[in-house]
């Protein structure tokens, strides 16, 4: 079975925001108080976060959108996009979910790309239902799944977009909060954009806007992805 070229769309720039919950977890006894983050101007905190992001070697970023959108090619924009891996783009995984129930996973390992969509995804790109059902049980690998086909959504691309969006946002207030028993900063812009940053690493954990939520984790600690077993791969 010959694979159709795939079109994946992440959508608009990742300029988003998140209200993080305050407080930490406790298991019975009283926990030691968390020292407040040092007082800093919002612009200084945002600048330190950008510097920390640029130094990171790996990470996970998930974006959830509300509403609907489409690209000029007519491909649906994912309602949720998650990318995790190395920022040199040598090893990573994407997971996209679309309105209507379609989903697609992508693995980039050893200069090869593998994709695995559900039945709804494959019928949506034109495969007959029987072929879509069979293909949904396998990872597909071929000319249309080469790493360059997904370069727009690679970890480095998403990281660079994040840096660009942070540079373009003017945060006007900064407050010290506690997230999961750790000191953190919460920044806010005049338009309501919020950003939460770990006070120790200065790496962001969440953002939120009126149209998107943006979750970040596993900075500098993403485990290497491995290729699927050959028995689970179909080529074409």
């Amino acid at each position: 079975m010959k694979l159709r070229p795939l079109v994946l769309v992440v959508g608009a720039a990742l300029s988003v925001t998140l209200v993080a919950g305050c407080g930490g977890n406790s298991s019975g006894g009283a926990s030691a108080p968390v020292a407040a983050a040092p007082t800093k101007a919002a612009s200084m905190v945002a600048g330190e976060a950008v510097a920390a992001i640029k130094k990171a070697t790996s990470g996970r970023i998930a974006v959830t959108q509300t509403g609907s959108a489409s690209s000029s090619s007519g491909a649906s924009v994912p309602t949720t996009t998650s990318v995790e891996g190395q920022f040199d783009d040598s090893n990573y995984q994407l997971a996209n979910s679309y309105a209507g129930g379609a989903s697609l996973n992508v693995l980039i390992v050893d200069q090869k790309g593998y994709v695995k969509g559900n039945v709804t995804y494959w019928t949506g790109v034109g495969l007959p239902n029987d072929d879509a059902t069979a293909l949904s049980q396998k990872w597909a690998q071929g000319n249309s799944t080469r790493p360059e086909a997904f370069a727009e959504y690679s970890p480095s691309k998403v990281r660079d977009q994040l840096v660009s969006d942070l540079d373009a946002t003017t945060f006007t207030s900064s407050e010290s909060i506690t997230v999961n028993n750790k000191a953190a900063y919460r920044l806010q812009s005049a338009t309501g954009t919020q950003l939460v940053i770990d006070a120790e690493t200065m790496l962001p954990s969440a953002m939120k806007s009126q149209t998107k939520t943006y979750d970040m984790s596993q900075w500098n600690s993403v485990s290497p992805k491995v290729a699927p077993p050959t028995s689970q791969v179909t080529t074409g």
Side-chain angles (χ1 to χ4, degrees), residues 106-115 140-142 145-147 150:
V106 179
L107 271 173
I108 303 297
V109 180
D110 296 331
Q111 300 302 311
K112 292 183 179 180
Y114 306 84
V115 300
Q141 193 268 320
T145 70
R146 291 174 297 180
F150 312 104

Side-chain angles (χ1 to χ4, degrees), residues 35-66:
T39 300
K40 295 181 182 180
S43 59
M44 179 179 293
V45 176
E48 291 182 17
V50 167
I53 292 169
K54 289 180 177 180
K55 291 180 181 178
T57 58
S58 66
R60 175 184 177 274
I61 299 170
V63 182
T64 300
Q65 302 186 79
T66 59

Side-chain angles (χ1 to χ4, degrees), residues 175-187:
E175 63 176 313
S176 176
I177 62 173
T178 301
V179 179
N180 296 327
N181 267 349
K182 296 185 68 177
Y185 293 100
R186 179 163 57 204
L187 307 185

Side-chain angles (χ1 to χ4, degrees), residues 132-149:
T133 299
L135 190 56
S136 70
Q137 308 301 315
K138 299 278 190 176
W139 287 92
Q141 193 268 320
N143 287 336
S144 62
T145 70
R146 291 174 297 180
E148 51 264 37

